[in-house]
Amino acid sequence: MYGDDATVRKILTESGDTWAVVGLSSNRQRAAYGVAQVLQRFGKRVVPVHPTAETVHGEQGYASLADIPFDVDVVDVFVNSDLAGAVADEAVAKGAKAVWFQLGVVDQDAYARTRAAGVDMVMDRCPAIEIPRLA
């Protein structure tokens, strides 16, 4: 398992409330849309990151992490595993405190690089499942 319960708790409660959600668009059928709603309900600011840079859930979207003109605390990744490592590297470069790979998103090398950079990370878990457990 990549990301023990203590790391999950730390990311959800201590890492900050600005979450960049990579892969979030206005498509209500995609998991990212519903997960972003849950994060907002629990007080997180959700920043959509998608090539279309759409406004989603009332928040301005950006085409890439580098385009976001403010700090982000956590980068939540909803892209295929083969693309996720590059996103993790961008998150580290952006100065994020944590990276979260969603269910089914696994890249062991990216995990090792991210952790070696001193950034907390979990993989193959969903914050929408984990955050209600903290209440």
Side-chain angles (χ1 to χ4, degrees):
M1 170 145 333
Y2 294 94
D4 57 32
D5 289 340
T7 303
V8 168
R9 177 175 292 280
K10 180 180 177 188
I11 292 171
L12 291 172
T13 63
E14 300 174 26
S15 294
D17 291 333
T18 301
W19 285 53
V21 181
V22 178
L24 175 58
S25 71
S26 61
N27 182 345
R28 294 171 182 261
Q29 304 306 312
R30 304 286 300 181
Y33 191 89
V35 170
Q37 281 183 312
V38 172
L39 289 170
Q40 281 186 324
R41 193 168 40 236
F42 282 89
K44 307 300 182 189
R45 178 182 184 192
V46 172
V47 181
V49 179
H50 191 277
T52 60
E54 299 175 88
T55 296
V56 184
H57 300 309
E59 288 284 348
Q60 168 66 47
Y62 298 90
S64 71
L65 288 173
D67 291 339
I68 300 172
F70 49 84
D71 293 339
V72 295
D73 300 311
V74 181
V75 176
D76 190 5
V77 182
F78 280 92
V79 300
N80 292 330
S81 294
D82 58 338
L83 303 174
V87 176
D89 295 340
E90 291 171 29
V92 170
K94 177 77 177 160
K97 297 173 190 157
V99 176
W100 192 298
F101 280 9
Q102 283 294 325
L103 291 172
V105 181
V106 175
D107 181 328
Q108 296 174 355
D109 292 337
Y111 183 86
R113 287 193 310 272
T114 302
R115 296 296 297 132
V119 176
D120 289 325
M121 185 169 179
V122 297
M123 290 194 305
D124 197 25
R125 292 178 83 165
C126 180
I129 293 170
E130 303 297 336
I131 202 166
R133 294 180 184 175
L134 300 177

